[in-house]
Amino acid sequence: MKNPFIITLFLLVAALSAQAVSRIGGGKIQSVRSGFEMNISGLFKIADIQNDSVRCLGPVSIIQRGLTSSMGTQFFEISEFSNEFADATSLSAEKIVARFEKSGWKKISSPSCQVVMKLHTNGAIAYLATWGSGKGFVMKGTPTAQTEQVMREALTSLTISGGCSWK
């Protein structure tokens, strides 16, 4: 006889994973959990989906004597804000900014009620965007001009459903 608890647990985990950051085709990613959608520039290819995150590789270049493409050595990952910063999911917008500024993050302008911040180190570049109640995402990748350009373009294409959820 199968254990109903294990079956229920499996179904719950599968349902939560299906709502995380995922590829939806056409160079787009979405998260049902956080309620957002973004475009990823053709310069980078959405290559992996793992651990509730998406990995984008690039830059993509066409090899001249054929129709094959070559992937560069740059990448960035997009994951749920709530997975990366579980202890910050209930903070207000002001407290998010204060907390991350203490760690070297810089607030950048955003078109609506979202908090968008950036961290640049020698080893990585990262952006976080949140709109309350743990909704949002984190992008982190190789600290190159091309990676940063594609990440900024993704941010400008961001659409959120349901509006902001600050308490």
Side-chain angles (χ1 to χ4, degrees), residues 79-125:
S79 56
E80 295 284 340
F81 178 83
S82 60
N83 289 354
E84 297 287 331
F85 301 109
D87 59 336
T89 58
S90 63
L91 298 178
S92 68
E94 296 79 20
K95 289 183 179 179
I96 293 272
V97 171
R99 175 198 165 161
F100 285 94
E101 282 180 339
K102 287 179 186 175
S103 301
W105 291 76
K106 306 287 184 220
K107 184 176 181 199
I108 59 175
S109 64
S110 59
S112 66
C113 59
Q114 305 154 24
V115 170
V116 180
M117 302 189 78
K118 175 183 173 182
L119 179 67
H120 195 280
T121 66
N122 288 336
I125 184 158

Side-chain angles (χ1 to χ4, degrees), residues 1 5 9 14 28 67 94 99 111:
M1 182 171 171
F5 174 74
L9 181 62
K28 294 184 179 201
L67 298 175
E94 296 79 20
R99 175 198 165 161

Side-chain angles (χ1 to χ4, degrees), residues 42-60:
L43 189 60
F44 277 63
K45 180 179 176 186
I46 303 168
D48 276 330
I49 300 173
Q50 57 187 3
N51 301 330
D52 295 339
S53 66
V54 171
R55 178 176 274 224
C56 302
L57 302 172
V60 176

